[in-house]
Amino acid sequence: MQAASPRDANALRLREFAFGEEDFQALRALVKSLTGIHLSEQKRELVYGRLTRRLRTLQLRSFAEYRERLKKDAQEVAELCNAITTNLTSFFREPHHFQYLRDHVLAPLAADRDGTRRLRIWSAACSTGEEPYSIAMTVLEALPDAARWDVRILATDLDSEVLHRARRGVYPAERTGNLSAQRLQRFFSDRQEAGGLCRQIVPEVAGLVTFKQLNLIHALPMRGPLDVIFCRNVVIYFDKDTQRELFFRVARLQRPGDLLFLGHSESLFKVCDSYALIGKTIHRRI
Ligand SMILES: C[S@@+](CC[C@H](N)C(=O)[O-])C[C@H]1O[C@@H](n2cnc3c(N)ncnc32)[C@H](O)[C@@H]1O
């Protein structure tokens, strides 16, 4: 048997669970093939930290046992994906996107009495729902007679756990702290839960949003055209090739003039030339 490398020896000595180089490399490759998420060499601690809870829950003794488990347990594969994804989000995150949506999409639509009353928006990595619900609130504020419009917001994510929370639409009060009193009053109802005061999205907002599980590295099953796509703070976890493949498929869902919003540190530079950059992380389909 080969002697353990110093890094392996260190890992075996100090950790609750044995976590060698082979474990990290195998899990890293599996995560990439399942989710597109590229875990750099620096992500060892993150992988260990996020998966130890799974090992404890399953009462396993090592990452080698965990890898064996993954070979025969599809549910655990889903748990692995849920554990590895980063779900940070908030209501009206990167507010300029919602202002742009209001001023350049919704306001002209509302003003055009003879125009189409159909609007399709996709929140492509919606996490716990704050993003699609913020879109829905923006729509309701900008289209006073929204009920007479054919507006649909599709919200998707790979992570089954965040989708469950998104569908429920109940948030601890502190997560709604950045919302105006007016929005809180119109779009939420208060409810007491074991953890304290929570706020629940009202049916008028929830009714505009449909949640579905969707993996962005697979084929996109929806039919376009999609007027606006929010694909924010997700491709940052993908390598350039995975980004290229994704945006090739995304671009086919949009017509010239349609909009694509990316996250604050994401860009289509050298990734996709089907869009023109028209504002801070705002792209228009060419
Ligand atoms: C940081 S959150 C971004 C949430 C929201 N878009 C925002 O900007 O606030 C990233 C989300 O991408 C999701 N995700 C990661 N890989 C994915 C994939 N291959 N397909 C679909 N969703 C994915 C994660 O589950 C996570 O909820």
Side-chain angles (χ1 to χ4, degrees):
M1 206 169 79
Q2 243 187 346
S5 71
R7 186 158 37 185
D8 270 1
N10 201 22
L12 294 172
R13 215 173 26 245
L14 299 177
R15 296 181 190 279
E16 179 184 354
F17 300 104
F19 181 58
E21 185 62 14
E22 211 182 312
D23 297 318
F24 175 62
Q25 295 304 343
L27 287 166
R28 191 183 175 210
L30 182 61
V31 165
K32 173 82 196 305
S33 70
L34 291 168
T35 68
I37 296 173
H38 167 71
L39 295 163
S40 68
E41 290 288 334
Q42 287 75 44
K43 294 284 161 62
R44 267 187 190 73
E45 290 310 312
L46 178 139
V47 170
Y48 181 84
R50 294 209 178 161
L51 295 181
T52 45
R53 201 149 28 105
R54 295 305 312 150
L55 270 73
R56 284 191 206 116
T57 304
L58 298 168
Q59 300 188 319
L60 301 177
R61 282 166 304 178
S62 69
F63 274 81
E65 281 186 10
Y66 186 58
R67 283 164 51 205
E68 282 306 308
R69 179 69 176 247
L70 287 167
K71 287 181 191 161
K72 47 189 187 232
D73 184 346
Q75 177 55 36
E76 190 50 40
V77 171
E79 296 287 354
L80 167 72
C81 296
N82 291 355
I84 289 296
T85 54
T86 297
N87 308 116
L88 182 78
T89 188
S90 58
F91 286 105
F92 293 93
R93 182 182 193 187
E94 298 171 48
H96 66 285
H97 288 159
F98 300 93
Q99 288 155 12
Y100 195 93
L101 177 68
R102 181 193 63 202
D103 297 342
H104 296 271
V105 180
L106 300 170
L109 274 180
D112 183 0
R113 300 220 154 264
D114 304 323
T116 170
R117 297 202 140 225
R118 179 186 179 280
L119 186 63
R120 295 287 179 269
I121 304 178
W122 178 31
S123 165
C126 65
S127 188
T128 37
E130 287 87 335
E131 180 178 279
Y133 289 138
S134 301
I135 298 169
M137 291 181 226
T138 307
V139 167
L140 289 169
E141 285 169 346
L143 302 179
D145 55 350
R148 291 172 47 213
W149 285 68
D150 176 16
V151 180
R152 280 193 229 159
I153 301 161
L154 173 67
T156 63
D157 202 284
L158 162 75
D159 185 329
S160 56
E161 162 62 20
V162 293
L163 282 172
H164 173 73
R165 287 159 57 194
R167 283 192 184 101
R168 198 163 167 259
V170 177
Y171 300 90
E174 54 275 16
R175 291 189 65 88
T176 60
N178 65 328
L179 294 170
S180 67
Q182 210 179 6
R183 278 181 174 157
L184 286 178
Q185 203 190 2
R186 179 168 175 200
F187 298 130
F188 294 83
S189 57
D190 288 357
R191 59 185 281 165
Q192 282 297 335
E193 299 232 327
L197 176 65
C198 287
R199 299 212 158 95
Q200 176 157 27
I201 293 286
V202 296
E204 188 191 15
V205 177
L208 291 178
V209 185
T210 305
F211 290 100
K212 288 225 156 64
Q213 189 172 31
L214 178 69
N215 189 337
L216 292 173
I217 66 166
H218 294 162
L220 302 175
M222 60 282 245
R223 270 191 304 170
L226 296 168
D227 302 273
V228 182
I229 298 177
F230 284 68
C231 186
R232 308 190 310 163
N233 304 301
V234 59
V235 299
I236 192 174
Y237 301 105
F238 299 165
D239 62 21
K240 290 284 174 206
D241 283 340
T242 308
Q243 293 185 19
R244 274 183 204 109
E245 285 162 26
L246 170 63
F247 286 116
F248 175 75
R249 286 177 281 121
V250 164
R252 289 163 66 178
L253 295 172
Q254 295 199 291
R255 298 155 302 186
D258 291 337
L259 292 175
L260 170 66
F261 297 115
L262 300 186
H264 57 96
S265 55
E266 297 166 333
S267 143
L268 292 182
F269 182 62
K270 292 193 178 171
V271 168
C272 177
D273 55 12
S274 302
Y275 293 87
L277 183 66
I278 55 165
K280 194 172 143 204
T281 57
I282 304 174
H283 302 79
R284 189 179 289 285
R285 181 78 168 88
I286 296 167

